[in-house]
Amino acid sequence: MARIVVVGAGVAGLSSAMLLAKDGHDVVVLERDPAPPPTSADEAWDDWDRRGVNQFRLLHYFLPRFRLLLDAELPEVAAAALELGALRHNPIALAPAEVTGGLRPGDEDHEAITARRPVMEAALARVAASMPGLTVRRGVAVTGLEVGAPVAVGVPHVTGVRTDTGETIRVDLVVDASGRRSPLPSWLAAIDARPPVEEVEDSGFVYYGRYFRSADGSLPVAFGPPLQHYDSLSILSLPADNGTWGVGFVTSAGDPALRALRDPEVWSTALQLYPLVAHWADGKLLDDQVAVMAKIEDRHREYHVDGMPVATGVLAVADSWACTNPSVGRGASIGLLHAVTLRDVLRGSSLDEPLALAHEYHEATARTVEPWYRSTLSFDRSRLAEIDAQRRGASYDGGPEWEITQAMGFASMQDPDVLRGFVRIGGLLSLPEDVLAQPGFLDRVIELGAGWRDAPGAGPSREQLLAGISA
Ligand SMILES: Cc1cc2nc3c(=O)[nH]c(=O)nc-3n(C[C@H](O)[C@H](O)[C@H](O)COP(=O)(O)OP(=O)(O)OC[C@H]3O[C@@H](n4cnc5c(N)ncnc54)[C@H](O)[C@@H]3O)c2cc1C
């Protein structure tokens, strides 16, 4: 079995490390942030200093695919999360039978396990801390890569890492899980590797989020999906652990009028204008401020260029490989799926053949997680363009893929089969193309969803919103 270093103890770093340790590898996780994981949900939320993760206290919801993978691969993490107060939450089971047609076999797939991000990460950290074959060292930052004899011409071979504690740690494989700001490209440049091909741009969205808690552990009733799209903004309403929940506005960064949402009073006033979610403010606020996050980049790094890896002995997982605007809440699920992919590739290949391993990981990444990255990016681009059109009072023509997505959303309220297909995509359970390929599915979407543009809005127009928040 191999010696492996994982860089970063975030959601994907800890998941990867645990999956690899379970397979008998000797795994060390190096995490820059020194703070030890807390033992309770409240400590995790109130005190855990995790400045290495910008989005640590911002709105998070963990999708059904995340739960499915946890239950299958890391059930002890699911158990620890529940012990810390995480919520098993199945929107299909909670929706009225008139909409769902009643519960059916297979509906259990739609169950999510969700919590505030610090609480979910505390569960991962708790299990990782006591897992045989796994050591998590906090307060140790990786600063660069060690190299040995190359296994292919012009391709450096990584044999370990250097740290800010002055150590050199030699291993068979380095897994980079250092997140959306991963320094891996600069480490590779320092060992004379070819640069990865990077696609990067500002996603163009801004988040304005807040967390609430009920006095009795209950949650607000959901009158719609967790992500609702309105005229020129979207709203998230996300159940979490221990009677807490998050609510947030997602706007275009190019919309100065809505920057007022950073003001707590304006934020609260705005929420009251949306009847389907106004009651999500009926709780105790966990923070006085609105948590704002802007300049969220969509980034994809291809470490396999012109048919060859830029280096062997190092593999990037999760956000370090690719990350998008998070309004559809997919990052942790894609990250966990990528961690499982990494584990599966290592099961089928030998670390004695690093070049073959790099090729196999590249192919498996392209097969399992890349389609989700592309699909998320495509949705986000269209939604941003639609918001920008709405701001101008123009109608938006996003092309056939966008039309079908919108029609599917509209038809899902009228047809239980379409609903299930729609939520399978939302839950990261099935890709859009697979759902649409089901016999008769597209016909139903076109028949029932064609009128989506004429559906009455459930919230204020942009004019009413702007008037409401400036009153
Ligand atoms: C605003 C926002 C909201 C989001 N909401 C959701 C959501 O609702 N649902 C969802 O599934 N996803 C969501 N995401 C995405 C999710 O947070 C990420 O996909 C997930 O955290 C990725 O995990 P990771 O382990 O790859 O990286 P991270 O969790 O970012 O962890 C990276 C770790 O690496 C450490 N590190 C960095 N450099 C070094 C170094 N040199 N040496 C050692 N350690 C290092 C950092 O300190 C950090 O602990 C959201 C993201 C944002 C920005």
Side-chain angles (χ1 to χ4, degrees), residues 65-136:
R65 185 66 175 273
F66 186 83
R67 194 271 311 157
L68 213 75
L69 290 168
L70 270 196
D71 280 352
E73 308 285 355
L74 293 167
E76 52 283 69
V77 175
L82 291 178
E83 240 175 71
L84 284 168
L87 177 74
R88 283 191 183 264
H89 177 253
N90 188 332
I92 290 283
L94 293 171
E98 302 81 65
V99 177
T100 64
L103 275 184
R104 299 175 178 177
D107 281 346
E108 60 282 1
D109 283 1
H110 300 294
E111 182 179 82
I113 183 166
T114 194
R116 290 166 293 171
R117 156 73 189 249
V119 177
M120 188 59 78
E121 201 177 296
L124 287 154
R126 178 186 286 189
V127 176
S130 59
M131 185 164 279
L134 171 56
T135 308
V136 182

Side-chain angles (χ1 to χ4, degrees), residues 321-398:
W321 158 74
C323 52
T324 58
N325 153 58
S327 60
V328 283
R330 291 177 168 174
S333 301
I334 293 177
L336 182 51
L337 183 60
H338 207 188
V340 171
T341 302
L342 170 69
R343 189 274 318 270
D344 290 347
V345 167
L346 282 178
R347 277 183 181 171
S349 13
S350 165
L351 275 157
D352 297 335
E353 295 180 37
L355 186 59
L357 174 67
H359 285 313
E360 277 160 35
Y361 185 60
H362 166 68
E363 282 158 23
T365 294
R367 218 173 30 248
T368 58
V369 282
E370 179 100 25
W372 283 112
Y373 173 78
R374 296 289 161 204
S375 151
T376 307
L377 197 64
S378 159
F379 175 83
D380 282 348
R381 288 279 157 269
S382 297
R383 175 61 184 146
L384 187 68
E386 184 187 51
I387 286 181
D388 287 338
Q390 288 168 339
R391 284 172 44 219
R392 296 192 310 272
S395 80
Y396 172 64
D397 177 8

Side-chain angles (χ1 to χ4, degrees), residues 424-440:
R424 282 196 77 78
I425 297 168
L428 212 101
L429 297 169
S430 300
L431 283 161
E433 51 268 38
D434 296 332
V435 167
L436 289 165
Q438 294 173 76

